Amino acid sequence: MNHAPDAVAGVDHDEHRSPYLRAWAALAVLTLVEYFYASIFRDVLGVLVIGLVFWAAVKAGLVGWFFMHLNQERAWVYLLIGPACLLAVLLVLAVYPDVAMQPVDGEAPNAAQALKTGS
Amino acid sequence: MTTLAPPLNSPSRSSATVGLVTPGKFAIWLFLATEVMFFTGLIGSYIVFRAGSSPRAYSNLYPPATDLSRTRDTVGIVIEDAGPDPDKVAFELVDAHVVGGAEEAKRLMDTAPHGVVGGLTNDKAADLVHKIEVASGHARIEPLKTQKWPLPYDDLTNPLAINLTAANTFVLICSSVTMALALAAIRQGKRLKSSMYLLATIVIGSLFVGVQVYEYNSLMFVHHYPVGISPTGHFRPDVSLFASCFFTMTGFHGAHVTAGVIALILIFLRSLVLGGYSAQNHAPIEMVGLYWHFVDLVWIILFTIVYLI
Amino acid sequence: MTSQVETSSSAPVGHGQGDDHIHPAPRNMLSRYVFSSDHKVIGVQFLSSGLIFFVIGGLLAMALRWQLAWPWKPMPILSRMLWSDPSLGYQMPPEFYAKLFTMHGTIMIFFVIIPILNGGFGNFLIPLMIGARDMAFPRLNMVSYWFMPPAMVFISYSFLVEGGAPEAGWTSYPPLTIARWATPGSLNGQTFWLLAVLCAGISSLLGAINYLTTILMLRAPGMTMMRMPMTVWGLFVTAILQAFALPVLTSALVMQTLDRVAGTNFFSPTGLAVANAPAVVGGGGPILFQHLFWFYSHPAVYVMILPGMGMVSDIIATFSRKPLFGYKPMVYAIGGIAGLGFIVWGHHMFQSGMNPAVGATFMLSTMMIALPSAIKVFNWLGTMWGGRIQFTTAMLNAVAFVAMFVIGGLSGIFMAASPVDMHIHDTYFIVAHLHYVLFGGSMFAIFAAVQYWFPKIFGRMMNEPLGKLHFFLTFITFNCTFYLMHIVGMHGHLRRIADPTVYESLRNSGVTNMNQFMTYSAFALGAAQILFAMNFFWSLAFGPRAAANPWHANTLEWETTSPPAYYNFARIPVVHHAPYEYSVPGLEVDFLPQTKPLPPAAMLHPVNS
Ligand code: HEM
Ligand SMILES: [Cu+2]
């Protein structure tokens, strides 16, 4: 917000471009980081998920912050995007127990089996 | 025009609308919020499906979702090399009655080094490996391994090409930066430069779509994959829940990119007309740009959770 | 949205399309009345196509009631045409009953109530009530309407495809909907259902984006957010619900469509095989569809009631000649209902075998909705209390809305308790509830709104005596039809069954007599709507010409001619105060339009100052 691009007509344009190019370089590096991180931790699911989600969030943040100019926009943008993100998380969390925590097939029959043989 | 923008004649209006709110910009951000919810429906479903998938839904020796309760003691072989004369190896498989017929045996030879034959006893597997060696091919015995979901880099359950797509991710990121530069250029009144950046964005964006199409084509038609990926050898939306999610998510993303390229072509053409856009008047470039970056952002997430996790 | 409110109320408020720049109306008839981008024409388009579908949906309901009262008895005339095949012997096949309730529900919800309230009145009223010349994006508005005709064609065409219309209910649960051989209707009809609802959804979504932008950006000078009429607030919050919840339904419908046409496995359990069809791979979750569906469709029930609440608030204030009681609480209550509306969807799934912890959470949040709902009801009563009430037809319908919403809301609280719901889920109790809120609520609001804004829309008054006759007949027959459903429902009468007499407990004369009574009442209810149609068309042609402000109301739409000119306002109005300054002490007339400054002698009602 402090640096409305048009206000700096006189500034040399490298200065002007540089945040984009720096964001781009960071994104390129992070893509590489993700790539190697994924191949190193491919067998450790927890570390893999947490790390990759973190890197992806940073990358998404860079795109939003610099390319979509969230660094220059005002609160109203966040009022649109914020609730959407909140609802997105809420929906997944609420659905999670029902869909992702179902009894594993095979477990229940085995339990029944165990009961039968036990009695 | 708007509640928050300064009056039309004020000098600060002369350029960009960044930081200000116009109906168009408000609407595009609102649209992006609805897109967030749409992709939440798709990606959220993927997340809960993946987390809730049965630990024995995928295996290296049987098609996805096979009931493995009676196949626990079986092993398989992986044909790693069909040798100089694949027909001979294929003949051995047909002879041992482990494949449906000559046709299927032939297809298996194409799948090498991941030609999987499952459902064998230990003895039979050893025997078969021996016979294949004699036919100057090469095979190894593979014990049954089950998993919840196809893991990245696991050639027997996951067909996705990570290297190619990582490169493609970088391609899309490049298109995002050219898009941002196009907007920055027009804000300084550099019309030609802006047009060129738009053109670059179109070309790079199309390259991304092209690679996607290439990948779809090889997944669905060209390649033969081992049975743990698909019973038919082709990776198509119906072969597993993983495939369904993959094609739906990347397909809808691809459709969004394609729509973005079309929009970019339209504003590119308009930018060539004298007076098309100027330092004062370039809202369409800003809006298409926002959309384009959003699509890039979605891809960053998709690449991470579909390909890498 | 609060900071938005603050900023816009402090900044100089802008207005519609360019200063007092008036665009001429297009001269071409096609672009003026058919492919029009004028919000008023689009509103009328939504309204009229909605009313046509109201007739279709209503006729389907008559057939439903016939079958319930006299199971398998051939319907006069119709049965001879449809089921003359000797094997059918003029009897309605059971699956046809399923088609009837599926299509009745789908049409009434997606093609009548939502389009009329939001598409029709939303389009017509928003720019007029906030003092704008048109929507923020007139052409997008046109596109939004033109997504409806394909939807209507798809939904109607589904009757004609092989296997006929879908049979899975308006909720469209898998696996019934994805296994193509599960029922005749899931062979092809379901696909058309999906396409229809997808198109209708896109229409609503585009509309919502337009409404929100318009309301936030194009308000007339002085029209702060807290000076907007409740109608606009209702439509505003509705648009928020649409914008944030509808895309999730879209994604669910897309996945279901792909399950049907591309063989994907989203909603099929592992190895699902139906009717000897080859098994699918599966691995997906049918329950997930229910979640995604209700994530939209619970907010959607508020989409169907909030605009009605808004309009009824305005109508009640106008005809009570009193300021709306508690404007701010009313606004916050709408916001509260909408906010809570996002986190209660699970109350439709108590019996789905859901995780009990999740169920308890949903039960609690659902019960909380009673709070803002009660605030609204008490404020309507408070508005009428001590008012000089004018019992016009519009007012009668609006009051009926309040009463019927109380009954429907209370039965909602019953079902919100999951142990109680275990008994009444999927019975006629639910049917009673939803008709009390949707017919008793939304439809009465629509009747009130049509009667109230008809002069503004068409420039002619509707007939009052005929309107009142229609109202009383509708009100009585409506209650006779639906009240008893609570009782048979409590008695275990399941919904969505073609023949209750297959159950021993429903074979007694009590249930049968009630069913027949409800059917007679339903026919009378249907017949009463003919009066409405007569009134509508007769008034359209011969009604007395309407003055600009026939009801002496305060909101901006009454400050322009009836019907408004193409450009709405000759000059963009300037707003000086809230819209509910009725019977201001110290004034000669009992109303004070928003455009008139408050005279120094006048004293404001403390609630509204
Ligand atoms: C006071 C607030 C309300 C509460 C507490 C409430 C609660 C409920 C509950 C718990 C159910 C599910 C019952 C079951 O299937 O077992 C239900 C169903 C339903 N409600 Fe409400 N409700 C309320 C207001 C409304 C409103 C305002 C509308 C519409 C305008 C509405 C429309 C419906 C519909 C259509 C169904 C049936 C859905 C189906 O086909 O299964 N409700 N309500
Ligand atoms: Cu609900």
Side-chain angles (χ1 to χ4, degrees):
Chain A
M1 226 181 294
N2 48 356
H3 175 162
D6 45 295
V8 287
V11 176
D12 109 53
H13 68 267
D14 276 353
E15 170 88 352
H16 198 98
R17 267 189 344 211
S18 61
Y20 299 132
L21 293 180
R22 261 184 270 143
W24 173 67
L27 285 167
V29 171
L30 282 173
T31 305
L32 274 179
V33 168
E34 269 200 300
Y35 179 81
F36 287 112
Y37 189 95
S39 58
I40 292 168
F41 293 106
R42 59 170 89 165
D43 296 322
V44 206
L45 191 67
V47 180
L48 184 78
V49 172
I50 293 172
L52 284 179
V53 168
F54 175 75
W55 296 124
V58 173
K59 285 170 76 181
L62 285 174
V63 171
W65 191 250
F66 291 106
F67 291 164
M68 299 173 87
H69 299 113
L70 280 178
N71 52 352
Q72 293 165 36
E73 297 293 2
R74 297 216 205 136
W76 64 269
V77 175
Y78 295 95
L79 283 173
L80 289 178
I81 295 299
C85 295
L86 190 78
L87 282 173
V89 173
L90 192 110
L91 175 62
V92 177
L93 286 184
V95 172
Y96 200 89
D98 256 18
V99 181
M101 288 155 65
Q102 288 296 310
V104 173
D105 57 310
E107 255 173 31
N110 279 353
Q113 202 74 37
L115 272 180
K116 236 189 247 161
T117 44
S119 62
Chain B
M1 192 61 150
T2 78
T3 39
L4 300 182
L8 278 165
N9 51 2
S10 102
S12 70
R13 198 191 164 80
S14 64
S15 116
T17 51
V18 164
L20 301 174
V21 47
T22 62
K25 234 175 96 176
F26 179 83
I28 195 91
W29 273 102
L30 182 58
F31 172 68
L32 294 184
T34 68
E35 289 275 51
V36 168
M37 294 312 293
F38 176 75
F39 278 106
T40 297
L42 299 183
I43 299 177
S45 301
Y46 173 81
I47 292 174
V48 293
F49 279 147
R50 191 195 189 297
S53 179
S54 153
R56 287 185 280 121
Y58 298 85
S59 71
N60 53 353
L61 301 181
Y62 294 95
T66 305
D67 177 8
L68 298 176
S69 53
R70 270 170 303 165
T71 50
R72 274 191 199 161
D73 313 321
T74 62
V75 295
I77 59 167
V78 178
I79 299 159
E80 294 178 322
D81 182 5
D85 191 354
D87 286 348
K88 256 159 91 184
V89 180
F91 175 77
E92 291 299 340
L93 295 179
V94 178
D95 195 42
H97 297 290
V98 295
V99 291
E103 194 69 19
E104 198 186 325
K106 237 189 147 93
R107 213 180 65 207
L108 257 175
M109 296 305 107
D110 292 344
T111 325
H114 306 299
V116 171
V117 182
L120 308 174
T121 60
N122 262 319
D123 293 347
K124 183 129 192 183
D127 183 41
L128 213 58
V129 168
H130 177 70
K131 281 187 180 148
I132 291 172
E133 304 281 295
V134 170
S136 56
H138 183 62
R140 64 162 201 268
I141 295 184
E142 175 88 2
L144 177 65
K145 213 170 73 214
T146 62
Q147 56 206 46
K148 203 171 179 164
W149 202 255
L151 294 177
Y153 299 108
D154 178 0
D155 294 320
L156 297 188
T157 57
N158 191 331
L160 302 183
I162 293 178
N163 293 353
L164 177 69
T165 311
N168 210 20
T169 304
F170 180 66
V171 167
L172 198 61
I173 288 172
C174 290
S175 79
S176 231
V177 78
T178 53
M179 183 74 234
L181 292 173
L183 180 62
I186 195 70
R187 266 195 204 141
Q188 296 181 316
K190 298 180 176 149
R191 292 186 44 240
L192 185 68
K193 201 163 172 189
S194 173
S195 296
M196 287 305 107
Y197 276 130
L198 283 179
L199 185 62
T201 313
I202 293 170
V203 171
I204 305 175
S206 311
L207 176 65
F208 175 86
V209 178
V211 174
Q212 282 286 93
V213 170
Y214 168 82
E215 196 192 2
Y216 267 37
N217 187 43
S218 42
L219 286 171
M220 300 208 314
F221 305 108
V222 178
H223 272 290
H224 287 287
Y225 293 101
V227 63
I229 290 171
S230 156
T232 61
H234 294 298
F235 189 65
R236 290 182 186 163
D238 54 346
V239 299
S240 67
L241 183 58
F242 172 62
S244 307
C245 292
F246 167 80
F247 282 107
T248 307
M249 286 191 292
T250 56
F252 268 90
H253 178 267
H256 277 76
V257 180
T258 311
V261 168
I262 292 170
L264 278 168
I265 290 176
L266 293 179
I267 60 168
F268 169 68
L269 293 178
R270 171 123 182 256
S271 79
L272 296 178
V273 187
L274 197 67
Y277 300 114
S278 64
Q280 283 76 37
N281 163 24
H282 54 256
I285 298 187
E286 190 183 357
M287 285 175 208
V288 175
L290 282 172
Y291 173 80
W292 188 256
H293 299 310
F294 173 78
V295 172
D296 181 21
L297 195 154
V298 171
W299 181 254
I300 287 174
I301 292 166
L302 281 184
F303 172 63
T304 304
I305 70 167
V306 178
Y307 285 82
L308 296 183
I309 293 184
Chain C
M1 294 277 135
T2 29
S3 96
Q4 187 73 36
V5 177
E6 250 68 270
T7 14
S8 20
S9 46
S10 55
V13 178
H15 53 72
Q17 321 277 286
D19 292 76
D20 276 334
H21 221 71
I22 293 172
H23 295 278
R27 271 198 232 107
N28 179 337
M29 289 311 247
L30 203 65
S31 55
R32 185 157 180 184
Y33 293 114
V34 183
F35 297 100
S36 169
S37 60
D38 178 357
H39 71 101
K40 299 182 288 300
V41 176
I42 296 172
V44 172
Q45 286 172 334
F46 269 111
L47 178 68
S48 36
S49 49
L51 288 175
I52 292 171
F53 270 83
F54 182 53
V55 175
I56 300 175
L59 290 175
L60 297 176
M62 299 299 115
L64 282 167
R65 278 316 319 176
W66 175 278
Q67 166 72 13
L68 283 169
W70 303 285
W72 314 123
K73 186 173 159 186
M75 283 187 286
I77 310 169
L78 258 181
S79 290
R80 304 210 154 252
M81 285 158 52
L82 290 171
W83 304 300
S84 55
D85 187 307
S87 65
L88 295 171
Y90 308 126
Q91 271 188 15
M92 175 189 294
E95 71 269 14
F96 192 81
Y97 180 83
K99 292 183 199 308
L100 286 176
F101 69 68
T102 302
M103 297 301 272
H104 166 70
T106 306
I107 286 177
M108 287 303 193
I109 286 174
F110 293 112
F111 292 86
V112 179
I113 295 184
I114 295 182
I116 289 185
L117 282 176
N118 294 285
F121 288 104
N123 258 310
F124 189 85
L125 292 177
I126 288 176
L128 282 170
M129 285 186 137
I130 64 171
R133 296 217 182 282
D134 203 327
M135 288 285 176
F137 310 106
R139 252 176 303 161
L140 184 70
N141 208 12
M142 178 176 90
V143 174
S144 152
Y145 178 72
W146 286 98
F147 265 99
M148 284 311 285
M152 296 168 191
V153 169
F154 285 138
I155 202 75
S156 315
Y157 188 66
S158 79
F159 274 110
L160 307 177
V161 295
E162 188 190 351
E167 284 152 46
W170 80 279
T171 51
S172 185
Y173 283 179
L176 195 56
T177 44
I178 52 174
R180 292 194 67 204
W181 301 99
T183 70
S186 43
L187 188 62
N188 297 309
Q190 185 65 31
T191 309
F192 285 89
W193 185 95
L194 286 162
L195 294 176
V197 178
L198 274 170
C199 286
I202 293 173
S203 164
S204 294
L205 195 61
L206 298 181
I209 291 179
N210 219 339
Y211 297 174
L212 288 175
T213 313
T214 305
I215 294 174
L216 287 174
M217 302 272 159
L218 300 190
R219 275 168 292 127
M223 177 63 89
T224 60
M225 291 297 273
M226 284 318 225
R227 284 179 182 172
M228 294 196 315
M230 285 311 292
T231 303
V232 179
W233 267 112
L235 290 161
F236 178 73
V237 174
T238 299
I240 296 179
L241 290 175
Q242 298 269 40
F244 288 90
L246 227 167
V248 175
L249 177 76
T250 308
S251 74
L253 296 182
V254 160
M255 286 189 269
Q256 191 177 96
T257 309
L258 290 175
D259 270 3
R260 292 179 54 81
V261 303
T264 53
N265 305 297
F266 291 110
F267 301 129
S268 43
T270 304
L272 172 75
V274 170
N276 293 332
V280 298
V281 176
I287 288 287
L288 180 65
F289 180 84
Q290 298 191 16
H291 275 291
L292 298 180
F293 180 85
W294 289 114
F295 182 83
Y296 167 69
S297 290
H298 182 80
V301 308
Y302 294 114
V303 165
M304 292 184 268
I305 201 84
L306 294 185
M309 287 180 167
M311 300 193 300
V312 161
S313 306
D314 281 349
I315 294 171
I316 288 183
T318 303
F319 292 120
S320 301
R321 314 310 296 165
K322 260 186 69 190
L324 184 71
F325 187 85
Y327 174 83
K328 277 185 188 160
M330 286 294 244
V331 172
Y332 298 145
I334 283 197
I337 290 178
L340 285 172
F342 273 115
I343 53 169
V344 299
W345 77 86
H347 63 216
H348 296 275
M349 299 168 58
F350 286 147
Q351 312 312 321
S352 69
M354 79 194 312
N355 190 313
V358 181
T361 317
F362 280 126
M363 171 169 141
L364 196 73
S365 54
T366 304
M367 296 205 162
M368 270 161 38
I369 291 219
L371 267 150
S373 309
I375 292 179
K376 300 207 72 86
V377 170
F378 285 117
N379 282 2
W380 288 318
L381 297 182
T383 307
M384 285 183 269
W385 185 269
R388 281 181 295 114
I389 299 182
Q390 302 170 345
F391 281 109
T392 56
T393 310
M395 181 65 171
L396 289 171
N397 278 292
V399 176
F401 170 98
V402 177
M404 298 299 96
F405 177 71
V406 169
I407 299 182
L410 284 178
S411 59
I413 309 283
F414 283 44
M415 306 174 315
S418 57
V420 179
D421 189 57
M422 209 177 276
H423 179 59
I424 51 184
H425 176 67
D426 244 334
T427 68
Y428 263 80
F429 195 88
I430 311 299
V431 181
H433 163 72
L434 73 91
H435 284 93
Y436 266 90
V437 282
L438 286 180
F439 198 121
S442 312
M443 274 322 289
F444 276 112
I446 288 175
F447 291 143
V450 169
Q451 194 86 19
Y452 185 71
W453 277 292
F454 194 91
K456 188 53 64 182
I457 301 177
F458 298 110
R460 288 175 188 274
M461 305 297 288
M462 276 180 97
N463 184 297
E464 278 289 320
L466 199 53
K468 283 190 178 136
L469 184 63
H470 165 253
F471 165 73
F472 282 112
L473 285 177
T474 306
F475 185 75
I476 294 166
T477 51
F478 164 76
N479 279 291
C480 289
T481 307
F482 294 105
Y483 194 82
L484 297 181
M485 288 187 185
H486 291 115
I487 299 167
V488 294
M490 281 286 192
H491 189 65
H493 193 319
L494 294 173
R495 70 193 277 207
R496 295 179 175 169
I497 52 168
D499 180 4
T501 62
V502 298
Y503 294 102
E504 181 67 49
S505 59
L506 300 180
R507 222 173 284 151
N508 56 54
S509 60
V511 172
T512 309
N513 288 347
M514 277 195 268
N515 260 333
Q516 289 175 357
F517 179 78
M518 286 189 274
T519 296
Y520 286 123
S521 309
F523 291 163
L525 177 59
Q529 305 317 307
I530 297 172
L531 293 178
F532 181 77
M534 276 167 50
N535 194 350
F536 193 94
F537 287 113
W538 189 88
S539 308
L540 205 56
F542 308 112
R545 295 244 170 236
N549 189 358
W551 314 118
H552 299 303
N554 287 344
T555 40
L556 291 185
E557 78 272 27
W558 304 109
E559 294 307 298
T560 181
T561 49
S562 302
Y566 177 73
Y567 41 81
N568 288 356
F569 300 96
R571 286 195 63 84
I572 291 293
V574 176
V575 173
H576 295 280
H577 53 81
Y580 298 112
E581 311 305 353
Y582 292 105
S583 310
V584 180
L587 286 193
E588 266 152 44
V589 285
D590 67 351
F591 69 109
L592 183 68
Q594 285 188 283
T595 49
K596 293 240 169 67
L598 215 56
M603 251 174 42
L604 270 194
H605 194 282
V607 181
N608 278 44
S609 50

